[in-house]
Amino acid sequence: MIKVVKAVVRAVRNELQTGESGWVSTSASDALMSSGYSSKAGQSVTAKSSLEISAAYDCVRKTSQLIGTLPLTMYERTSDGGKRPVETELSDILRHQPNSGQTGVEHWEGQVAAMALKGNSYAEKLEIGNRLVGLRPMFNVTPEADGSNGKLKYVVLDRGKKYYLPAEKMFHLRGFGAGDGMGLSAIKYGANSIGAALAADETAGRVFSNSMMPSGLITSEQTLNAEQRPQIQDMLSKYVGSSRAGKTLILEAGLNYKQIQMNPEDAQLLETRRFNVEDVCRWFGVPPIIVGHASEGQTMWGSGIEAIMLSWLTLGINPLLTRIEARILRDLIPAKDQRRYFFEFNREAMLQMDSQAKGDFLLKMRMGGFMSGDEGRDKLNLPRRGGSNDDLIVQTSLTPVDLLGKGNK
């Protein structure tokens, strides 16, 4: 029996390493090519084309990188109502190595990026018996209602083959609006906004691709014949293009060049693109300042920006963290252990302070009896000193009047 179990373990590991299970061959970039949505601007909006918009790319990148790099810890509830960190096989899988091809950071970045773009992300549960041994990201997945039990089943397209996975075999993270078991897709519902941004970028690129921009007119008091017109066109082509910028145009035979006074501001390209950044950021729930876009009159620094950052962490990042934690508890922790164990992201890691603010914070926590000296040293990545430095102390300068002059007896 032991030999059989070892053989199964080796088979699963080999499958992960060789890519026979499909996660290596079905890459995220391949999946981003599929399922587009039409926009009123005439652009087809897909996850891939959305990422060609710098604002969308940075929104997805900042959100997924922040969540992917937050410490994820497994806790056990204690009898006194507290919690203590524990190390289990499941915590190793989720934090360090979900599969042989990814680190924990890379796995969560990819899952959160899919949630941000499509509202859903998928990972197949790799199991030996009832024991979870890994998570394999899945990209070309279409959920369907399973009429037999009311649950979802998942249609997977892998290397030209189509197969089904039951709900028990899929770790499905849902984004906002998962009332029917599916999160809402930002690129689907924001297709018009993202399509407008794509169209504006394309228009701007075409305008700036011509070094004679803005366009001009060649005028003459004489009437040109059929041979002269193409000759002038050929001559002008030698002055078109950014690589030919600065060349001097020579005109003769009564020809005059008249520049058309059209610039990006007049065409409202710059204003349109500025609005598109703010519009795209709304769909991804990221303040524009996070992606380096400041409104007119707004600076990139100051207490106001700090308040915006806290608002993003509270209203944008924290709900995503809570969704992931709840789904881990429901789908990855056995039902018999769900009252005992849970996973939690370290939200404090999102809040970075300057040295003065951090010093004031640690001092107040120490003097108020909320944190020991060694716990404060942990926050600074300093080694513990042990002994009395691990005791809780309280600032007692404020003493009741009736206790003045009385010592401890």
Side-chain angles (χ1 to χ4, degrees), residues 2-23:
I2 296 177
K3 292 182 178 180
V4 173
V5 172
K6 289 182 177 179
V8 173
V9 172
R10 284 196 300 270
V12 172
R13 287 177 177 172
N14 289 336
E15 182 182 8
L16 285 170
Q17 291 170 356
T18 59
E20 291 300 315
S21 57
W23 92 265

Side-chain angles (χ1 to χ4, degrees), residues 367 393-401 403-404:
M367 294 294 101
I393 61 175
V394 179
Q395 172 63 260
T396 59
S397 59
L398 299 177
T399 306
V401 175
L403 294 181
L404 291 176

Side-chain angles (χ1 to χ4, degrees), residues 5 44 106 208 273 285 306 332 388:
V5 172
S44 177
E106 293 165 348
F208 284 103
R273 299 179 76 191
E306 184 179 357
L332 299 183
S388 61

Side-chain angles (χ1 to χ4, degrees), residues 80-309:
D80 59 358
K83 62 183 181 180
R84 66 180 184 89
V86 294
E87 296 290 339
T88 66
E89 185 178 19
L90 179 58
S91 65
D92 287 339
I93 291 172
L94 297 186
R95 288 193 314 177
H96 303 302
Q97 191 173 6
N99 49 68
S100 65
Q102 289 182 308
T103 65
V105 172
E106 293 165 348
H107 174 80
W108 289 115
E109 280 184 351
Q111 295 293 291
V112 174
M115 287 178 67
L117 286 166
K118 296 189 173 183
N120 302 273
S121 65
Y122 308 94
E124 182 184 0
K125 299 178 186 177
L126 302 174
E127 299 174 319
I128 299 177
N130 293 326
R131 175 170 147 247
L132 183 72
V133 297
L135 293 172
R136 179 178 64 191
M138 307 292 288
F139 302 104
N140 293 317
V141 179
T142 305
E144 291 183 359
D146 191 342
S148 60
N149 55 22
K151 297 181 180 180
L152 291 175
K153 61 181 179 180
Y154 299 90
V155 184
V156 181
L157 181 62
D158 181 19
R159 292 171 292 181
K161 296 181 180 180
K162 178 181 177 182
Y163 61 93
Y164 288 86
L165 283 178
E168 293 76 17
K169 294 293 184 181
M170 187 71 77
F171 181 55
H172 178 188
L173 289 173
R174 287 97 161 161
F176 163 74
D180 59 351
M182 292 290 295
L184 300 181
S185 169
I187 61 173
K188 176 182 178 180
Y189 290 94
N192 285 331
S193 296
I194 297 173
L198 286 168
D201 274 5
E202 181 180 356
T203 301
R206 290 182 177 180
V207 169
F208 284 103
S209 66
N210 189 339
S211 67
M212 284 186 66
M213 184 276 303
S215 302
L217 297 175
I218 298 295
T219 62
S220 175
E221 296 179 356
Q222 305 176 17
T223 301
L224 304 179
N225 58 39
E227 295 180 357
Q228 291 173 329
R229 291 191 181 95
Q231 289 175 355
I232 293 178
Q233 292 289 348
D234 291 341
M235 178 192 68
L236 291 177
S237 65
K238 298 179 181 179
Y239 299 89
V240 174
S242 57
S243 62
R244 301 179 179 90
K247 293 186 68 174
T248 302
L249 180 63
I250 300 175
L251 297 176
E252 56 185 344
L255 297 177
N256 296 297
Y257 173 73
K258 181 179 180 182
Q259 186 177 23
I260 296 177
Q261 296 298 321
M262 183 190 74
N263 53 50
E265 289 83 358
D266 292 335
Q268 294 200 354
L269 279 176
L270 297 182
E271 189 63 33
T272 298
R273 299 179 76 191
R274 184 179 297 112
F275 170 77
N276 286 337
V277 171
E278 299 172 4
D279 203 26
V280 167
C281 285
R282 290 189 191 99
W283 285 104
F284 292 101
V286 177
I289 201 72
I290 302 296
V291 300
H293 176 85
S295 302
E296 292 207 24
Q298 183 182 26
T299 66
M300 295 288 290
W301 307 100
S303 58
I305 304 304
E306 184 179 357
I308 293 174
M309 290 286 292

Side-chain angles (χ1 to χ4, degrees), residues 70-84:
L70 287 179
L72 177 63
T73 305
M74 187 175 186
Y75 291 99
E76 180 183 15
R77 293 183 174 89
T78 59
S79 58
D80 59 358
K83 62 183 181 180
R84 66 180 184 89

